[in-house]
Amino acid sequence: MKFYEIFKQKLNEAGYKLTTQRRVVFEVIGANEGKHFSPEEIYDIVKVDHPEIGLATVYRTLKLFEKIGIIYRLNFNDGCSRFEMSHLDDESHRHHHLVCIECGKILEVKIDSLQELESYVEKEYSFDIHNHTLKFFGLCSDCKKRRNKCKKESTES
Amino acid sequence: MKFYEIFKQKLNEAGYKLTTQRRVVFEVIGANEGKHFSPEEIYDIVKVDHPEIGLATVYRTLKLFEKIGIIYRLNFNDGCSRFEMSHLDDESHRHHHLVCIECGKILEVKIDSLQELESYVEKEYSFDIHNHTLKFFGLCSDCKKRRNKCKKESTES
DNA sequence: ACTCTTGTTGATAATAAAAATCAAATAAGA
DNA sequence: TCTTATTTGATTTTTATTATCAACAAGAGT
Ligand SMILES: [Zn+2]
Ligand SMILES: [Zn+2]
Ligand SMILES: [Zn+2]
Ligand SMILES: [Zn+2]
């Protein structure tokens, strides 16, 4: 798969080193499409073949991957962040999530409308929609201006 | 406003008492439409007129309000839950949020499309969309069945 | 208004996710 | 290989949220 090449490239572009720990975490997430792992869950999988890797490193790595656009951070209101690979080679594949308020099961939806989507989902997945949430992440006009003016003292967050 | 009457009714229907603490928290949220307060922020406002009310009560009350549908819990990935009044008398008013990834500012969007919405937002708000998240909350087919069969031993979560 | 019962509260301790610390280890370029 | 800035593992710290529990108060019935 070429995901790995893109991953290495993104790391490099951002000025980060390719370490064993980062490669291993990347592989765990990449090998589990459709899953939405928490840091602890990823840590448990990583430990099997690499017991020397620490939990703190998993947290750090996930934060870094999110920052450089390798993964998405998801929130299902279950007390922790969850992560999935971002579709590096096809950004249009961004999918939506169905969260069961009873059993917590998470289903993925591969289409991108909303009005149609709701009725489609209710029928096709036999899912009773109680609520939905839509968020946009981006830059407001103020920050676009500010970002253009002062590109100098850009330090890490 | 009739919000308060609906609030009292919902509390009553669910078998909860109307306490001073609950009334005060309700008033703080109701008097701040367009805001998205964290528990701590609500606590700070509540304290001004009611220093006897404790933080734990604010957390408990918010959780209760969410459960009976008085408020929505929002997540902007800033380390805490945030809350806003649900539109009790007009459910169709559910709005969407613009979250600036730089300054954290939150803007509200009052329309309900998505494809049109994206281009509308980019122009009208001069906002660069980097990402969006859509979640549906509801019941999957399995749980609908299960819920129909065993409505007996329904205890609190 | 008084009582009784049960839900509720305030103060505090307990949890748990995530971040910070820091000496030791290591990737990557010369 | 050597150098050096980056990264890591183990651990502690931080902080949002929940649990605990005795004291308290809402609301139904008298
Ligand atoms: Zn997904
Ligand atoms: Zn379910
Ligand atoms: Zn809002
Ligand atoms: Zn901004």
Side-chain angles (χ1 to χ4, degrees):
Chain A
M1 57 166 70
K2 71 151 113 62
F3 271 22
Y4 186 62
E5 300 306 319
I6 300 174
F7 160 60
K8 284 201 294 186
Q9 185 189 326
K10 283 215 175 193
L11 262 189
N12 206 34
E13 280 171 3
Y16 296 105
K17 293 177 177 173
L18 176 56
T19 66
T20 302
Q21 291 83 347
R22 287 171 182 167
R23 182 178 50 72
V24 168
V25 170
F26 177 85
E27 285 167 357
V28 167
I29 299 173
N32 286 280
E33 275 223 58
K35 299 288 180 60
H36 307 91
F37 287 145
S38 68
E40 300 275 352
E41 287 167 351
I42 293 170
Y43 174 58
D44 286 340
I45 297 173
V46 162
K47 265 193 310 192
V48 175
D49 287 328
H50 295 271
E52 74 278 7
I53 295 180
L55 177 58
T57 298
V58 173
Y59 271 102
R60 273 187 303 237
T61 302
L62 293 171
K63 194 171 201 178
L64 172 64
F65 285 4
E66 184 192 13
K67 184 165 142 193
I68 64 178
I70 298 294
I71 59 175
Y72 288 118
R73 179 187 299 266
L74 308 172
N75 186 292
F76 298 121
N77 292 327
D78 66 344
C80 62
S81 290
R82 295 183 170 275
F83 298 87
E84 68 184 0
M85 193 71 75
S86 69
H87 295 265
L88 297 167
D89 58 339
D90 183 357
E91 204 58 36
S92 71
H93 270 177
R94 193 83 182 92
H95 57 263
H96 303 306
H97 293 107
L98 305 182
V99 184
C100 179
I101 58 175
E102 186 135 317
C103 67
K105 191 194 302 170
I106 294 166
L107 303 173
E108 301 195 335
V109 183
K110 308 285 188 192
I111 62 178
D112 217 331
S113 162
L114 183 56
Q115 321 192 283
E116 306 161 11
L117 185 54
E118 282 207 51
S119 51
Y120 172 79
V121 161
E122 299 228 72
K123 289 169 198 155
E124 203 61 37
Y125 291 81
S126 184
F127 192 93
D128 270 16
I129 297 175
H130 286 215
N131 202 352
H132 68 263
T133 301
L134 174 62
K135 295 176 198 163
F136 291 104
F137 294 91
L139 285 177
C140 73
S141 54
D142 292 343
C143 291
K144 274 194 291 186
K145 289 175 201 159
R146 198 178 313 129
R147 180 172 277 196
N148 284 342
K149 286 179 184 171
C150 13
K151 279 185 178 175
K152 330 149 200 177
E153 64 264 40
S154 65
T155 54
E156 303 303 332
S157 62
Chain B
M1 58 167 68
K2 71 150 119 50
F3 271 22
Y4 186 62
E5 300 306 318
I6 300 174
F7 160 60
K8 285 201 294 185
Q9 185 191 327
K10 284 214 174 193
L11 263 189
N12 207 32
E13 280 172 0
Y16 296 106
K17 292 176 179 175
L18 176 55
T19 65
T20 302
Q21 291 84 348
R22 287 171 182 168
R23 181 178 51 70
V24 169
V25 170
F26 177 85
E27 285 167 357
V28 167
I29 299 173
N32 286 281
E33 276 223 57
K35 299 288 181 59
H36 307 91
F37 287 144
S38 68
E40 300 274 352
E41 288 167 349
I42 292 170
Y43 174 59
D44 286 341
I45 297 173
V46 162
K47 263 194 308 193
V48 175
D49 287 328
H50 296 272
E52 75 279 6
I53 294 180
L55 177 59
T57 298
V58 172
Y59 271 100
R60 273 188 302 238
T61 302
L62 292 171
K63 196 171 201 179
L64 172 64
F65 285 5
E66 184 192 13
K67 184 164 141 192
I68 64 178
I70 297 295
I71 60 176
Y72 288 117
R73 178 187 300 265
L74 308 171
N75 186 292
F76 298 120
N77 292 328
D78 65 344
C80 61
S81 290
R82 295 182 171 275
F83 297 87
E84 68 184 0
M85 193 72 75
S86 69
H87 296 265
L88 297 168
D89 58 339
D90 183 358
E91 204 57 37
S92 71
H93 271 175
R94 194 82 183 92
H95 59 262
H96 303 307
H97 293 106
L98 306 182
V99 184
C100 180
I101 58 174
E102 187 136 317
C103 67
K105 192 194 301 171
I106 294 166
L107 303 173
E108 300 195 336
V109 184
K110 308 285 189 191
I111 62 178
D112 217 332
S113 163
L114 183 56
Q115 321 193 286
E116 306 161 11
L117 185 55
E118 283 208 49
S119 50
Y120 172 79
V121 161
E122 300 228 73
K123 290 169 198 156
E124 203 62 36
Y125 291 82
S126 184
F127 191 93
D128 271 16
I129 297 176
H130 286 216
N131 201 352
H132 70 263
T133 301
L134 174 61
K135 294 177 199 162
F136 291 105
F137 295 91
L139 285 178
C140 72
S141 54
D142 292 352
C143 290
K144 274 195 292 186
K145 291 175 198 158
R146 199 177 311 128
R147 180 172 278 196
N148 284 342
K149 287 181 183 171
C150 16
K151 280 183 177 175
K152 334 151 199 179
E153 65 263 39
S154 64
T155 53
E156 303 303 333
S157 65

